[in-house]
Amino acid sequence: MPRGRELPESLSESAAELVVELRTVKSRSGLTLVALERKTAYSKSSWERYLNGRTLPPADAVRALCTVAGCDPVPLVALREVAAADAAARKEWEEREEREKRADLDEGGERGDDLGQGAGPLSPAADVASEPDPVPRTAGDPGPWWRRWPALVVLGAGVAVAGGVLAAEPWQSESRAAAPRSPFTSAHDGPYVWGREASYPCRIQQHSGRTYAGHSGTHQTVLAHNSTSWDVVEAQCLLHEAGFDPGAVDGVYGPRTEQAVKRLQAKAGIEDDGLVGPDTWKVLRG
């Protein structure tokens, strides 16, 4: 792959974070693209697309990478689900905007036909005078969510600390342009990086009658003891909101977080196994 390859600017924050994590896993494993092709069911060109951010990898590819590299696939598969959801939401907004544009064009054509009907042709001056002034898009016009939530995805020093060896990878770039921002991850910037004194804010908000804290929009990700991710931060925030203290909101699924989950599960009448799965997310989201 060419040296200094940058991630596509169109990537969402979650997709960019996934690519960074996949690169970190590959770098630590020492596996080449040829080795990945030999050890998994995916070709060298497929891995090149996944690691350059041109194609979202399937969940099975993420699991296959963790199998051969010896990492926990659960956080990466969860992050992949968030990236897929963000991509679907963006596509929906783009299609909706395209439909609105087509409707505006159709309406303009019909108005032009109406203006052309009558006793005789309009003079150029009369045509100009009868044409309504265009209404410009104003700053108050919200537009799609990724235009209302701009963000600069920083892949610099924090990623280098997490990955350790990313600077040596041929595709690593020094900076990346702003990427679309999801409202479900509006409370943080960049990929999750654990730190001893880390503490993250909880931005409690409601979307479609469900509660979110600004770190993850997942409803399915399974969190277990020793997991570390933005999904864990999200769960810790929602536990606080529900009145169950998980300790520090640091993204580390430790004993206090596990005990808080068990108390929540017991109160909700679901299996109190200490794992945050779909049933527990449903309780946390409300």
Side-chain angles (χ1 to χ4, degrees):
M1 285 173 285
R3 183 173 296 276
R5 164 102 48 188
E6 294 186 356
L7 294 176
E9 295 182 3
S10 60
L11 282 183
S12 66
E13 180 186 354
S14 55
E17 183 178 349
L18 175 63
V19 173
V20 171
E21 294 296 334
L22 293 177
R23 290 177 176 181
T24 301
V25 171
K26 177 188 175 298
S27 176
R28 288 176 175 174
S29 70
L31 293 169
T32 64
L33 294 177
V34 174
L36 285 176
E37 180 180 45
R38 188 171 61 250
K39 293 176 176 292
T40 69
Y42 300 89
S43 67
K44 175 184 174 182
S45 59
S46 294
W47 283 114
E48 186 174 10
R49 290 195 301 273
Y50 302 155
L51 295 169
N52 280 331
R54 298 201 303 271
T55 304
L56 183 68
D60 286 343
V62 176
R63 296 188 185 96
L65 175 62
C66 285
T67 298
V68 299
C71 69
D72 181 9
V74 172
L76 292 181
V77 172
L79 184 56
R80 189 264 173 201
E81 292 178 356
V82 175
D86 287 346
R90 177 170 181 169
K91 182 178 180 181
E92 180 181 351
W93 275 106
E94 289 176 341
E95 292 175 347
R96 180 177 178 181
E97 189 175 61
E98 181 64 24
R99 289 195 299 270
E100 291 174 353
K101 288 181 179 179
R102 291 178 180 175
D104 290 342
L105 290 174
D106 292 342
E107 183 179 351
E110 292 174 359
R111 184 168 61 247
D113 292 341
D114 292 341
L115 290 173
Q117 296 174 358
L122 294 176
S123 66
D127 186 42
V128 172
S130 63
E131 184 68 24
D133 292 333
V135 179
R137 183 180 289 274
T138 64
D141 189 352
W145 58 261
W146 59 84
R147 293 180 183 173
R148 302 200 303 272
W149 299 81
L152 180 64
V153 179
V154 180
L155 301 178
V159 176
V161 171
V165 293
L166 280 178
E169 292 293 346
W171 53 70
Q172 182 68 21
S173 61
E174 294 180 358
S175 62
R176 199 166 71 85
R181 185 72 173 273
S182 167
F184 298 128
T185 58
S186 61
H188 66 258
D189 291 309
Y192 173 81
V193 179
W194 177 81
R196 291 182 180 275
E197 304 300 326
S199 181
Y200 299 102
C202 299
R203 188 172 296 171
I204 302 300
Q205 53 197 286
Q206 296 289 320
H207 294 284
S208 301
R210 297 184 181 276
T211 306
Y212 298 85
H215 295 285
S216 172
T218 183
H219 291 253
Q220 302 292 329
T221 303
V222 177
L223 304 179
H225 188 70
N226 288 334
S227 296
T228 57
S229 66
W230 286 126
D231 294 324
V232 177
V233 177
E234 179 82 3
Q236 290 172 330
C237 286
L238 297 179
L239 284 167
H240 268 297
E241 181 69 9
F244 298 90
D245 184 11
V249 180
D250 55 5
V252 179
Y253 200 104
R256 289 191 63 178
T257 299
E258 186 176 23
Q259 290 302 316
V261 169
K262 288 183 177 180
R263 292 196 299 271
L264 172 80
Q265 292 170 329
K267 183 177 180 180
I270 60 178
E271 183 180 2
D272 56 343
D273 55 5
L275 300 177
V276 177
D279 290 340
T280 305
W281 280 117
K282 185 176 181 180
V283 175
L284 288 171
R285 297 293 186 197

mmCIF file of all heavy atoms in Angstrom, residues 210-211 238 242 244 264-265 267-270 277-286:
data_model
loop_
_atom_site.group_PDB
_atom_site.id
_atom_site.type_symbol
_atom_site.label_atom_id
_atom_site.label_comp_id
_atom_site.label_asym_id
_atom_site.label_seq_id
_atom_site.Cartn_x
_atom_site.Cartn_y
_atom_site.Cartn_z
ATOM 1 N N ARG A 210 -35.757 6.854 23.735
ATOM 2 C CA ARG A 210 -34.708 6.076 24.383
ATOM 3 C C ARG A 210 -33.615 6.998 24.898
ATOM 4 O O ARG A 210 -33.409 8.086 24.363
ATOM 5 C CB ARG A 210 -34.124 5.038 23.428
ATOM 6 C CG ARG A 210 -35.140 3.989 22.981
ATOM 7 C CD ARG A 210 -34.495 2.929 22.106
ATOM 8 N NE ARG A 210 -35.445 1.929 21.655
ATOM 9 C CZ ARG A 210 -35.802 0.867 22.357
ATOM 10 N NH1 ARG A 210 -35.259 0.668 23.544
ATOM 11 N NH2 ARG A 210 -36.665 -0.007 21.881
ATOM 12 N N THR A 211 -32.910 6.553 25.926
ATOM 13 C CA THR A 211 -31.890 7.377 26.576
ATOM 14 C C THR A 211 -30.504 7.056 26.034
ATOM 15 O O THR A 211 -30.140 5.892 25.876
ATOM 16 C CB THR A 211 -31.908 7.140 28.097
ATOM 17 O OG1 THR A 211 -33.230 7.364 28.594
ATOM 18 C CG2 THR A 211 -30.938 8.086 28.812
ATOM 19 N N LEU A 238 -25.246 5.458 31.690
ATOM 20 C CA LEU A 238 -26.649 5.081 31.837
ATOM 21 C C LEU A 238 -26.909 4.412 33.190
ATOM 22 O O LEU A 238 -28.007 4.548 33.746
ATOM 23 C CB LEU A 238 -27.056 4.151 30.695
ATOM 24 C CG LEU A 238 -26.990 4.773 29.287
ATOM 25 C CD1 LEU A 238 -27.396 3.751 28.235
ATOM 26 C CD2 LEU A 238 -27.857 6.009 29.205
ATOM 27 N N ALA A 242 -29.576 5.721 35.931
ATOM 28 C CA ALA A 242 -30.591 4.839 36.504
ATOM 29 C C ALA A 242 -30.461 4.698 38.019
ATOM 30 O O ALA A 242 -31.288 4.036 38.652
ATOM 31 C CB ALA A 242 -30.507 3.457 35.856
ATOM 32 N N PHE A 244 -27.577 3.533 39.691
ATOM 33 C CA PHE A 244 -26.702 2.432 40.086
ATOM 34 C C PHE A 244 -25.257 2.865 39.831
ATOM 35 O O PHE A 244 -24.831 2.974 38.679
ATOM 36 C CB PHE A 244 -27.026 1.160 39.294
ATOM 37 C CG PHE A 244 -28.427 0.656 39.525
ATOM 38 C CD1 PHE A 244 -29.463 1.088 38.710
ATOM 39 C CD2 PHE A 244 -28.712 -0.213 40.563
ATOM 40 C CE1 PHE A 244 -30.758 0.645 38.908
ATOM 41 C CE2 PHE A 244 -30.009 -0.669 40.774
ATOM 42 C CZ PHE A 244 -31.039 -0.235 39.953
ATOM 43 N N LEU A 264 -28.844 -3.658 38.727
ATOM 44 C CA LEU A 264 -29.837 -3.203 37.754
ATOM 45 C C LEU A 264 -30.630 -4.386 37.208
ATOM 46 O O LEU A 264 -31.864 -4.323 37.095
ATOM 47 C CB LEU A 264 -29.144 -2.467 36.615
ATOM 48 C CG LEU A 264 -30.020 -2.085 35.417
ATOM 49 C CD1 LEU A 264 -30.824 -0.832 35.724
ATOM 50 C CD2 LEU A 264 -29.176 -1.867 34.162
ATOM 51 N N GLN A 265 -29.924 -5.455 36.850
ATOM 52 C CA GLN A 265 -30.593 -6.635 36.284
ATOM 53 C C GLN A 265 -31.556 -7.259 37.287
ATOM 54 O O GLN A 265 -32.670 -7.650 36.929
ATOM 55 C CB GLN A 265 -29.541 -7.655 35.846
ATOM 56 C CG GLN A 265 -28.707 -7.200 34.651
ATOM 57 C CD GLN A 265 -27.523 -8.115 34.377
ATOM 58 O OE1 GLN A 265 -26.960 -8.716 35.302
ATOM 59 N NE2 GLN A 265 -27.130 -8.211 33.112
ATOM 60 N N LYS A 267 -33.105 -5.803 39.757
ATOM 61 C CA LYS A 267 -34.277 -4.941 39.927
ATOM 62 C C LYS A 267 -35.214 -5.042 38.733
ATOM 63 O O LYS A 267 -36.439 -4.993 38.888
ATOM 64 C CB LYS A 267 -33.833 -3.489 40.116
ATOM 65 C CG LYS A 267 -34.998 -2.537 40.361
ATOM 66 C CD LYS A 267 -34.522 -1.115 40.613
ATOM 67 C CE LYS A 267 -35.717 -0.180 40.845
ATOM 68 N NZ LYS A 267 -35.272 1.214 41.092
ATOM 69 N N ALA A 268 -34.645 -5.209 37.532
ATOM 70 C CA ALA A 268 -35.455 -5.283 36.321
ATOM 71 C C ALA A 268 -36.059 -6.663 36.104
ATOM 72 O O ALA A 268 -36.884 -6.844 35.205
ATOM 73 C CB ALA A 268 -34.619 -4.894 35.107
ATOM 74 N N GLY A 269 -35.639 -7.650 36.899
ATOM 75 C CA GLY A 269 -36.187 -8.994 36.772
ATOM 76 C C GLY A 269 -35.626 -9.784 35.610
ATOM 77 O O GLY A 269 -36.278 -10.704 35.106
ATOM 78 N N ILE A 270 -34.407 -9.431 35.169
ATOM 79 C CA ILE A 270 -33.753 -10.203 34.108
ATOM 80 C C ILE A 270 -32.560 -10.934 34.708
ATOM 81 O O ILE A 270 -32.181 -10.694 35.861
ATOM 82 C CB ILE A 270 -33.302 -9.304 32.934
ATOM 83 C CG1 ILE A 270 -32.305 -8.251 33.425
ATOM 84 C CG2 ILE A 270 -34.496 -8.631 32.288
ATOM 85 C CD1 ILE A 270 -31.778 -7.351 32.312
ATOM 86 N N GLY A 277 -25.938 -7.170 27.732
ATOM 87 C CA GLY A 277 -26.345 -7.659 26.426
ATOM 88 C C GLY A 277 -27.602 -6.941 25.973
ATOM 89 O O GLY A 277 -27.984 -5.916 26.559
ATOM 90 N N PRO A 278 -28.285 -7.436 24.940
ATOM 91 C CA PRO A 278 -29.480 -6.760 24.418
ATOM 92 C C PRO A 278 -30.558 -6.479 25.482
ATOM 93 O O PRO A 278 -31.153 -5.403 25.483
ATOM 94 C CB PRO A 278 -29.984 -7.740 23.348
ATOM 95 C CG PRO A 278 -28.747 -8.441 22.874
ATOM 96 C CD PRO A 278 -27.895 -8.582 24.099
ATOM 97 N N ASP A 279 -30.821 -7.452 26.382
ATOM 98 C CA ASP A 279 -31.859 -7.247 27.399
ATOM 99 C C ASP A 279 -31.465 -6.134 28.368
ATOM 100 O O ASP A 279 -32.300 -5.312 28.755
ATOM 101 C CB ASP A 279 -32.104 -8.552 28.165
ATOM 102 C CG ASP A 279 -32.785 -9.603 27.322
ATOM 103 O OD1 ASP A 279 -33.399 -9.237 26.303
ATOM 104 O OD2 ASP A 279 -32.692 -10.790 27.678
ATOM 105 N N THR A 280 -30.191 -6.113 28.764
ATOM 106 C CA THR A 280 -29.733 -5.078 29.700
ATOM 107 C C THR A 280 -29.698 -3.715 29.029
ATOM 108 O O THR A 280 -30.039 -2.696 29.641
ATOM 109 C CB THR A 280 -28.344 -5.437 30.254
ATOM 110 O OG1 THR A 280 -28.400 -6.739 30.848
ATOM 111 C CG2 THR A 280 -27.897 -4.443 31.303
ATOM 112 N N TRP A 281 -29.276 -3.664 27.759
ATOM 113 C CA TRP A 281 -29.300 -2.392 27.024
ATOM 114 C C TRP A 281 -30.732 -1.848 26.956
ATOM 115 O O TRP A 281 -30.948 -0.634 27.062
ATOM 116 C CB TRP A 281 -28.746 -2.564 25.610
ATOM 117 C CG TRP A 281 -27.263 -2.581 25.513
ATOM 118 C CD1 TRP A 281 -26.475 -3.597 25.096
ATOM 119 C CD2 TRP A 281 -26.351 -1.506 25.814
ATOM 120 N NE1 TRP A 281 -25.143 -3.243 25.126
ATOM 121 C CE2 TRP A 281 -25.036 -1.968 25.552
ATOM 122 C CE3 TRP A 281 -26.546 -0.207 26.287
ATOM 123 C CZ2 TRP A 281 -23.910 -1.169 25.758
ATOM 124 C CZ3 TRP A 281 -25.408 0.600 26.489
ATOM 125 C CH2 TRP A 281 -24.119 0.125 26.231
ATOM 126 N N LYS A 282 -31.691 -2.754 26.765
ATOM 127 C CA LYS A 282 -33.087 -2.325 26.689
ATOM 128 C C LYS A 282 -33.511 -1.654 27.985
ATOM 129 O O LYS A 282 -34.214 -0.624 27.968
ATOM 130 C CB LYS A 282 -33.979 -3.538 26.394
ATOM 131 C CG LYS A 282 -35.439 -3.178 26.184
ATOM 132 C CD LYS A 282 -36.244 -4.413 25.807
ATOM 133 C CE LYS A 282 -37.710 -4.057 25.577
ATOM 134 N NZ LYS A 282 -38.508 -5.264 25.205
ATOM 135 N N VAL A 283 -33.085 -2.195 29.120
ATOM 136 C CA VAL A 283 -33.400 -1.589 30.411
ATOM 137 C C VAL A 283 -32.683 -0.251 30.548
ATOM 138 O O VAL A 283 -33.263 0.757 31.004
ATOM 139 C CB VAL A 283 -33.015 -2.535 31.554
ATOM 140 C CG1 VAL A 283 -33.230 -1.858 32.903
ATOM 141 C CG2 VAL A 283 -33.806 -3.838 31.474
ATOM 142 N N LEU A 284 -31.402 -0.207 30.175
ATOM 143 C CA LEU A 284 -30.623 1.023 30.308
ATOM 144 C C LEU A 284 -31.164 2.134 29.413
ATOM 145 O O LEU A 284 -31.198 3.302 29.822
ATOM 146 C CB LEU A 284 -29.155 0.747 29.944
ATOM 147 C CG LEU A 284 -28.332 -0.067 30.948
ATOM 148 C CD1 LEU A 284 -26.984 -0.436 30.363
ATOM 149 C CD2 LEU A 284 -28.137 0.718 32.246
ATOM 150 N N ARG A 285 -31.567 1.781 28.215
ATOM 151 C CA ARG A 285 -32.082 2.799 27.282
ATOM 152 C C ARG A 285 -33.456 3.296 27.687
ATOM 153 O O ARG A 285 -33.857 4.394 27.336
ATOM 154 C CB ARG A 285 -32.168 2.221 25.869
ATOM 155 C CG ARG A 285 -30.837 1.812 25.253
ATOM 156 C CD ARG A 285 -29.931 2.960 24.987
ATOM 157 N NE ARG A 285 -28.720 2.566 24.269
ATOM 158 C CZ ARG A 285 -27.636 3.317 24.194
ATOM 159 N NH1 ARG A 285 -27.587 4.488 24.798
ATOM 160 N NH2 ARG A 285 -26.567 2.894 23.539
ATOM 161 N N GLY A 286 -34.217 2.456 28.419
ATOM 162 C CA GLY A 286 -35.523 2.865 28.878
ATOM 163 C C GLY A 286 -36.626 2.623 27.861
ATOM 164 O O GLY A 286 -36.387 2.283 26.721
#
